[in-house]
Amino acid sequence: MASSSEGSGDALLPDFPRGPLQAYRARASFSWKELALFLEGEDMLRLKKTIFSALEDDPLFARPGGGDLPMEKYRELNFLRCRWVFEHDLLRVEDMLQSPLKVRALVNCLGMYDWSLAAKFFLHMLVFGSAIYNSGSERHFKYIPKIFNMEIFGCFALTELSHGTNTKAIRTTAHYDPTTEEFIIHSPDFEAAKFWVGNMGKTATHAVVFAQLHTPGGGCHGLHAFVVQIRDPKTLLPMPGVMVGDIGKKLGQNGLDNGFAMFHQVRIPRQDLLNRAGDVTPEGTYVTPFKDDRQRFGMSLASLSSSRVSIVGMSVVNLKLAVSIAIRFSATRRQFGPTDEEEIPVLEYQMQQWRLLPYLAAAYALDHFSKSLFLDLAELQQGWLGKDTSARQAELGREIHALASASKPLASWTAQRGIQECREACGGHGYLAMNRLGHLRDDNDPNCTYEGDNNVLLQQTSNYLLSLLTRRTQGGAHCKSPLKTVDFLEAYPDILGQRFEVPSLEDCLDSSVPLAAYEWLVCYLLRESDQKLNQEKRSGSNDFEARNNCQVYYCRSLALAFLELTVVRRFHEHTHQPSVPPPLRAVLRRLSALYGLWSLSQHTALLYRGGYFSGEQAGKMIETAILDLCSQLKDDAVALVDVIAPPDFVLDSPIGRADGELYKNLWGTILQEGKVLERASWWPQFSANKPVIGSSKSKL
């Protein structure tokens, strides 16, 4: 299918090699190049192509054949690759400041190649660097050029051995000494050791260390961030008073050196307190621009929201890679057929479509949401830097905190389930390490844990929603927010009275149907959670106990449903906007409807229990609509993957290559890695004097 935009896209998006996937590409209802240009824009596509080509053209990034590298060699190579990224200036500083989405694109492109590399780069520049830039002031800007030229190398030290998610209980201390104008950083015992800190194991020279700030007279002012040098940049030996090391091998991302550190009375200058949230005068007086301690605490941990939003994008990338591999495999793998002589691609089977295509739709929907939330966060950070103290800025911060706290669980869990489904959908070939699905599963797994345990984070979102309901019922406050994610709650009583009324299957094939159902579901779960919370309090539970007893089946479900609603709404609005080119409208709206209905179907029991659904027809219509949309999207699946899949060198999966030569690529990789005619190194010691196979004394 030709289009006017393809001319500009041909150079950026060359045609794929002809092969077994050509039949599906020919049947697509749209131009994959036109969709790529619409979703990304020419400038972003050019940046991605530049990054991917630069990686492929440099021998430093050559894929090692014959299995995994030893961990120490892998970490050395990963550091050299990270240094290469900075030296080659893939994204200029001015571009980063002018277009935040380009920063996101750079990290995600590196992650598509190897998450150990992306994490190392991300933690140094965007977590360590952003913490200094956003939480500090002009006196700290001296560190910024040193970060970009890697004169220093950074990490973000919040988590401790005995505390992670409960950040208020962090035990590292920073006592101010006015006689020398220094802070004394100290770990009271080994349980207070900073732990799991990325880059700290081998390579970090400096850390943003979170500690409880104490001033003379015994006053503790809570958690604050400090810049602390932990190693000599020239020798990488620990600084006096610092015990630092590596925590060892992990389940994945072993190119990243996660480490620990303990501090014994380490003195740092007063000026190395990152002072946007609070400062200490030379005499020892604590000052802060925030009247509310909760606001100050939120500001001091603002970088966590940034990390959580970034993890959403990382999870989506993993899901994109997995569905790209599985769908290309499914379009070329033939098994069984209507006759013994004719085998058909497994993608033709309804079961395979039902297993994979909802995750393809999820990759598109969550990717759009991730981009939009990233831009929302950029707006919030601009307000902080401009010292905006307005009520809107404060409310925007609360709203983004709630969204980030639920979006990380939704995205990381969706990717986790999707990667596993893709692995199984590729059968035995999916279990081969060379096809990368196992590595994707292991590398995605920590997204469910770091920067806050998923189940604990969801409480932040449900608490936000419950507070809005309390303000509405007790004080008559309007349920409105800067990003309009909760504005629908203005109609809370009316929405609870609505019921599922869709006259036909055809009417069900639009994302407006799950959108309306999700609004009811969130209102229902909000009412149920509020009633459960009040019931617990009336029965004598204190606030801590009451909230703890409301999570399972209530608040946890509320937070996830609210975030799913937000994703469905944003993707629905995106796919139904007038600017969508006519040739792309049908396929994008099918993706939107499939994601919405598939997500909603996981709440069928609640929809019936609350009375939104009644009779068997409602549930059957949702199921039939999902299968119908899968069937409609089947012929578009390969083209949809072509839009989101990176080049073969980056995807690094023989069964997922763009030419579709499934068996040639598999066999060629086996030959290339030297698996053929290879004798076991241990065999001669057994076979020198006697036969081993069949021997009753064999220990094999």
Side-chain angles (χ1 to χ4, degrees):
M1 177 180 289
S3 74
S4 59
S5 61
E6 281 196 40
S8 60
D10 282 339
L12 281 175
L13 305 166
D15 292 332
F16 291 104
R18 297 185 67 86
L21 290 173
Q22 187 60 33
Y24 278 100
R25 287 177 174 136
R27 292 203 297 268
S29 67
F30 67 98
S31 162
W32 74 272
K33 296 181 182 182
E34 184 178 13
L35 181 56
L37 282 163
F38 171 70
L39 294 176
E40 299 278 11
E42 190 170 333
D43 198 29
M44 190 66 74
L45 289 174
R46 197 174 303 283
L47 172 64
K48 290 184 175 182
K49 181 167 183 164
T50 298
I51 296 168
F52 289 144
S53 298
L55 299 183
E56 187 169 5
D57 291 344
D58 197 293
L60 185 63
F61 293 88
R63 299 284 190 180
D68 295 334
L69 292 169
M71 190 169 72
E72 287 304 309
K73 180 64 178 176
Y74 185 13
R75 289 182 174 178
E76 177 189 354
L77 184 59
N78 197 46
F79 181 79
L80 293 174
R81 287 169 172 170
C82 185
R83 187 174 67 185
W84 181 98
V85 173
F86 280 96
E87 289 173 348
H88 284 72
D89 204 21
L90 294 175
L91 191 60
R92 297 175 303 171
V93 178
E94 45 272 34
D95 287 336
M96 293 182 184
L97 296 174
Q98 292 172 5
S99 179
L101 283 177
K102 288 187 176 180
V103 181
R104 176 183 180 273
L106 174 58
V107 172
N108 288 346
C109 286
L110 296 176
M112 286 184 173
Y113 172 78
D114 182 359
W115 278 117
S116 288
L117 171 60
K120 194 161 197 68
F121 174 85
F122 172 75
L123 289 168
H124 170 61
M125 190 186 77
L126 294 177
V127 179
F128 174 72
S130 293
I132 291 174
Y133 186 73
N134 292 323
S135 300
S137 57
E138 288 186 13
R139 73 190 192 201
H140 302 105
F141 291 173
K142 63 183 180 182
Y143 290 110
I144 302 301
K146 295 179 181 180
I147 291 170
F148 277 91
N149 64 26
M150 288 182 68
E151 185 178 336
I152 63 174
F153 203 74
C155 60
F156 185 84
L158 173 63
T159 298
E160 295 178 353
L161 182 61
S162 62
H163 284 94
T165 303
N166 185 9
T167 52
K168 287 186 178 180
I170 292 298
R171 297 177 59 239
T172 303
T173 58
H175 284 268
Y176 182 67
D177 180 356
T179 62
T180 60
E181 295 189 21
E182 292 174 317
F183 285 101
I184 304 168
I185 309 296
H186 185 67
S187 307
D189 53 50
F190 74 93
E191 291 187 4
K194 295 300 180 183
F195 205 80
W196 274 114
V197 182
N199 287 343
M200 182 177 271
K202 300 286 186 183
T203 51
T205 62
H206 290 67
V208 168
V209 175
F210 283 82
Q212 304 290 349
L213 190 157
H214 295 260
T215 51
C220 179
H221 304 281
L223 207 61
H224 287 68
F226 303 81
V227 180
V228 182
Q229 184 173 348
I230 60 174
R231 287 188 179 94
D232 184 322
K234 295 180 179 178
T235 65
L236 288 186
L237 292 175
M239 298 299 291
V242 179
M243 176 192 291
V244 61
D246 192 281
I247 65 172
K249 189 173 183 180
K250 309 180 295 290
L251 294 180
Q253 295 191 30
N254 281 301
L256 178 67
D257 51 313
N258 290 80
F260 68 87
M262 288 187 69
F263 304 96
H264 182 70
Q265 305 292 334
V266 176
R267 288 180 172 266
I268 63 170
R270 179 185 68 88
Q271 290 82 359
D272 280 342
L273 163 66
L274 296 176
N275 61 335
R276 189 173 294 277
D279 205 353
V280 174
T281 66
E283 298 76 24
T285 303
Y286 181 78
V287 293
T288 177
F290 296 96
K291 297 178 181 178
D292 187 337
D293 283 345
R294 289 177 302 173
Q295 275 190 314
R296 184 201 55 72
F297 182 73
M299 175 65 207
S300 67
L301 293 179
S303 51
L304 291 181
S305 282
S306 177
S307 297
R308 288 166 188 159
V309 171
S310 297
I311 290 169
V312 176
M314 296 172 186
S315 300
V316 173
V317 166
N318 289 330
L319 183 58
K320 284 181 176 181
L321 295 173
V323 295
S324 296
I325 294 166
I327 287 175
R328 283 176 174 173
F329 170 88
S330 299
T332 51
R333 173 77 163 177
R334 293 175 177 268
Q335 297 287 290
F336 306 106
T339 66
D340 291 341
E341 292 76 28
E342 180 188 1
E343 289 189 305
I344 62 174
V346 295
L347 187 55
E348 294 297 318
Y349 291 100
Q350 185 184 74
M351 178 66 76
Q352 196 80 345
Q353 297 165 22
W354 175 77
R355 294 172 72 184
L356 295 179
L357 297 188
Y359 285 109
L360 177 62
Y364 271 84
L366 287 168
D367 189 44
H368 173 70
F369 172 76
S370 172
K371 290 176 185 174
S372 66
L373 185 60
F374 193 88
L375 291 175
D376 294 334
L377 180 66
E379 178 192 345
L380 178 67
Q381 291 173 333
Q382 285 300 314
W384 284 335
L385 293 173
K387 298 183 179 179
D388 184 351
T389 58
S390 66
R392 183 190 183 280
Q393 175 74 3
E395 192 58 43
L396 179 62
R398 284 191 286 271
E399 185 175 15
I400 288 179
H401 176 69
L403 291 172
S405 295
S407 59
K408 186 183 91 74
L410 178 63
S412 59
W413 278 334
T414 302
Q416 182 189 57
R417 294 193 302 268
I419 294 166
Q420 181 64 23
E421 194 67 68
C422 289
R423 207 292 299 154
E424 294 180 27
C426 293
H429 294 315
Y431 194 63
L432 273 174
M434 71 173 71
N435 288 320
R436 201 181 175 187
L437 290 166
H439 288 300
L440 287 174
R441 184 174 57 192
D442 290 344
D443 284 352
N444 182 76
D445 214 31
N447 289 336
C448 303
T449 302
Y450 49 32
E451 307 301 344
D453 173 86
N454 280 356
N455 284 289
V456 178
L457 280 181
L458 290 170
Q459 296 180 38
Q460 300 290 314
T461 307
S462 61
N463 288 343
Y464 170 72
L465 295 169
L466 286 165
S467 70
L468 292 176
L469 183 61
T470 300
R471 283 160 51 187
R472 185 184 189 281
T473 55
Q474 294 182 1
H478 289 289
C479 288
K480 290 184 177 295
S481 61
L483 302 177
K484 304 185 185 303
T485 61
V486 299
D487 287 13
F488 72 100
L489 292 175
E490 281 286 285
Y492 172 74
D494 295 335
I495 290 174
L496 283 171
Q498 295 175 1
R499 296 296 179 262
F500 181 77
E501 296 176 355
V502 180
S504 68
L505 176 63
E506 187 66 30
D507 293 312
C508 199
L509 301 179
D510 187 82
S511 46
S512 60
V513 171
L515 186 56
Y518 261 118
E519 288 188 348
W520 179 90
L521 180 63
V522 172
C523 289
Y524 171 73
L525 286 169
L526 183 56
R527 185 188 70 186
E528 294 293 294
S529 299
D530 183 60
Q531 290 177 353
K532 173 67 172 173
L533 181 61
N534 289 324
Q535 176 192 332
E536 288 290 330
K537 289 180 178 178
R538 285 194 301 270
S539 68
S541 298
N542 60 36
D543 188 68
F544 176 81
E545 293 169 336
R547 290 188 183 278
N548 186 46
N549 293 335
C550 288
Q551 297 309 312
V552 181
Y553 301 126
Y554 294 93
C555 293
R556 181 184 186 276
S557 301
L558 167 64
L560 283 170
F562 169 69
L563 207 283
E564 288 167 359
L565 163 64
T566 307
V567 175
V568 169
R569 187 191 308 281
R570 289 194 177 187
F571 197 47
H572 170 83
E573 292 172 352
H574 182 60
T575 57
H576 287 70
Q577 62 180 314
S579 61
V580 178
L584 303 179
R585 290 175 184 170
V587 67
L588 285 174
R589 291 177 183 182
R590 286 173 187 145
L591 287 171
S592 181
L594 178 57
Y595 174 72
L597 292 168
W598 172 73
S599 296
L600 183 69
S601 69
Q602 298 168 61
H603 303 286
T604 300
L606 281 172
L607 294 165
Y608 272 110
R609 189 177 80 186
Y612 187 75
F613 281 177
S614 60
E616 65 179 19
Q617 191 58 36
K620 285 185 174 179
M621 184 178 289
I622 297 295
E623 292 173 353
T624 303
I626 290 170
L627 295 176
D628 201 44
L629 287 164
C630 285
S631 177
Q632 291 179 33
L633 284 165
K634 179 254 302 178
D635 286 344
D636 285 331
V638 170
L640 287 167
V641 160
D642 290 341
V643 174
I644 61 176
D648 288 344
F649 169 76
V650 175
L651 186 61
D652 193 32
S653 175
I655 64 172
R657 287 182 192 160
D659 63 6
E661 295 287 358
L662 172 61
Y663 303 115
K664 288 182 180 178
N665 292 332
L666 262 177
W667 190 245
T669 304
I670 291 171
L671 293 175
Q672 182 182 355
E673 293 190 355
K675 305 300 183 186
V676 180
L677 301 178
E678 190 178 81
R679 188 175 70 172
S681 59
W682 43 262
W683 183 257
Q685 62 181 303
F686 289 104
S687 60
N689 301 316
K690 57 185 177 181
V692 176
I693 297 176
S695 168
S696 61
K697 297 181 180 179
S698 172
K699 295 183 180 179
L700 287 179

